[in-house]
Amino acid sequence: MADITRRLGWRHLRGAPTAHIRHHRSGRLVHDGPGLSFWYRSLTAALSEVPVDDRELAMTFHARTSDFQDVAVQATVTYRITDPALAAARLDFSIDPDTGAWRGAPLEQLGTLLTETAQQHALDVLARTSLSSALVDGVTAVRERVAAGLAAEPRLPATGIEVVAVRVVALRPEPEVERALRTPAREQIQQDADRATYERRAVAVERERAIAENELDSRIELARREEQLVDQRGTNARREAEEQAASDAVRAQAEAARTVKLAEAEAARSVRLARAEAEGAREVGAARAEAQSAWLRVHADVDVATLHALTGTRLAENLPHIDSVTISPDVLTGLLSRLGDGERA
């Protein structure tokens, strides 16, 4: 919609770059083009605003296939007005000079024209197609047929309209039919899911069995290695005992040899000591005998009284030292008695 401003009986129009403005005054074209801006009097002006941008037209309609099944077609047609003068001459794009609003509904007329033309070609192609084929390849077939039909439609160029693109969004059957069609696929999907579940379980069971077998093999191998370890330990223990016995035997032999050598050395030393003692005793005895002979030879010529005196002296030398003598009355009485008897005698 054009932007119109009022000033003292004058009107100022400012158009958008995507809107083509046509200004007639007294039946004469004064302004013609997109994005115009000018002053005018509302009582003498005839204005038209034709959009020249690309516009999207969404459409939904129902069709029937060759097997008498209803389908809903969702499509979108992109179009533009390439000849604004021709479009303004064929459709009512006039606007109110005071408000800038369209007096009619030109875009609705274009939408009806495009929708009916597209629907005609879509119905034509779907009427010769079964529901299953339409659901599989119908989107492409309908799009191509609608695009070709709009391109060949003579009313569109005569109105200054160019179709830019055609898109078919979906072809949908009735809800009951769609559910019925989905059932086999769902069953197949469920069967595939169940099969996948069973296969997964089978794979899991197989893996568990393989794991159990591996564990059993590992235990068997471990037991075999433990048996080998026990045998090796026994062998090592026997070898160690044999080596210890051999070492003890060698040590005992060495100890016995050392003991024998020590005994032999001790015996030899004892023999030498005995011989030395015997030799010493023999020499001492010989010396004593020689001294005794000499002593006897010295005293052989001495008289008896001298010998007695020497004997008493030697005896006195060998007696113990006496510090004091205690004489009891009994001993003294006995001595005195003996002395008296001796005197009487």
Side-chain angles (χ1 to χ4, degrees):
M1 186 175 66
D3 184 10
I4 296 178
T5 306
R6 301 179 181 183
R7 289 292 185 273
L8 301 175
W10 288 85
R11 304 291 185 269
H12 182 270
L13 183 145
R14 182 173 59 191
T18 58
H20 189 96
I21 304 299
R22 291 175 62 84
H23 176 208
H24 291 80
R25 186 173 57 206
S26 300
R28 184 171 58 89
L29 183 62
V30 180
H31 298 93
D32 185 17
L36 297 181
S37 178
F38 54 88
W39 291 91
Y40 65 93
R41 287 185 178 273
S42 61
L43 297 177
T44 60
L47 301 175
S48 298
E49 183 183 13
V50 181
V52 294
D53 57 339
D54 290 350
R55 291 185 172 265
E56 302 285 342
L57 176 62
M59 59 185 71
T60 301
F61 53 88
H62 291 271
R64 179 169 292 184
T65 62
S66 61
D67 49 359
F68 305 102
Q69 298 295 327
D70 291 336
V71 292
V73 181
Q74 297 178 0
T76 302
V77 176
T78 304
Y79 69 95
R80 73 166 65 99
I81 299 176
T82 58
D83 193 343
L86 183 59
R90 299 295 299 272
L91 299 174
D92 185 10
F93 283 98
S94 63
I95 61 175
D96 189 335
D98 292 328
T99 62
W102 276 316
R103 295 179 184 273
L107 295 181
E108 293 181 3
Q109 296 177 4
L110 283 178
T112 301
L113 175 61
L114 292 171
T115 301
E116 290 179 353
T117 305
Q119 183 176 0
Q120 178 183 355
H121 294 288
L123 292 175
D124 186 31
V125 68
L126 289 175
R128 296 191 297 270
T129 307
S130 63
L131 178 61
S132 58
S133 300
L135 294 178
V136 175
D137 300 324
V139 172
T140 303
V142 171
R143 183 181 67 249
E144 293 176 353
R145 182 60 180 274
V146 170
L150 291 177
E153 179 63 34
R155 292 181 58 188
L156 298 180
T159 314
I161 299 173
E162 178 186 359
V163 177
V164 178
V166 176
R167 297 188 302 276
V168 178
V169 180
L171 291 175
R172 289 185 174 276
E174 292 181 348
E176 295 80 3
V177 177
E178 188 174 4
R179 284 194 295 270
L181 293 174
R182 288 179 179 177
T183 300
R186 288 183 177 178
E187 291 294 333
Q188 184 64 35
I189 293 173
Q190 186 63 39
Q191 291 177 6
D192 295 341
D194 294 340
R195 186 180 302 108
T197 301
Y198 296 150
E199 292 178 354
R200 184 170 61 252
R201 290 179 179 176
V203 171
V205 171
E206 182 65 23
R207 290 181 178 176
E208 291 179 358
R209 185 184 63 79
I211 293 173
E213 289 181 355
N214 292 333
E215 291 180 353
L216 182 60
D217 294 340
S218 299
R219 292 180 180 178
I220 293 174
E221 181 66 20
L222 182 60
R224 186 178 62 81
R225 293 188 177 181
E226 288 180 353
E227 182 180 1
Q228 293 178 355
L229 180 61
V230 171
D231 294 341
Q232 187 64 35
R233 284 180 177 175
T235 303
N236 294 338
R238 287 193 301 272
R239 185 178 301 172
E240 184 177 359
E242 292 175 356
E243 293 180 355
Q244 185 67 29
S247 177
D248 293 340
V250 172
R251 188 181 298 108
Q253 291 178 0
E255 186 68 22
R258 188 167 62 85
T259 303
V260 170
K261 290 182 179 180
L262 290 176
E264 292 177 353
E266 184 66 23
R269 189 174 65 83
S270 298
V271 170
R272 289 194 299 270
L273 182 60
R275 289 178 180 176
E277 290 180 354
E279 185 66 24
R282 187 172 55 254
E283 292 179 357
V284 169
R288 287 180 178 177
E290 184 66 26
Q292 188 67 26
S293 298
W295 187 79
L296 291 176
R297 283 194 302 268
V298 170
H299 294 81
D301 297 330
V302 179
D303 54 359
V304 176
T306 304
L307 292 175
H308 288 171
L310 290 174
T311 301
T313 302
R314 295 294 299 273
L315 180 61
E317 290 177 355
N318 292 324
L319 289 175
H321 180 71
I322 300 173
D323 291 332
S324 61
V325 177
T326 301
I327 299 174
S328 62
D330 297 333
V331 175
L332 183 59
T333 302
L335 290 175
L336 292 177
S337 299
R338 289 180 181 179
L339 287 175
D341 295 334
E343 290 177 358
R344 282 193 303 267

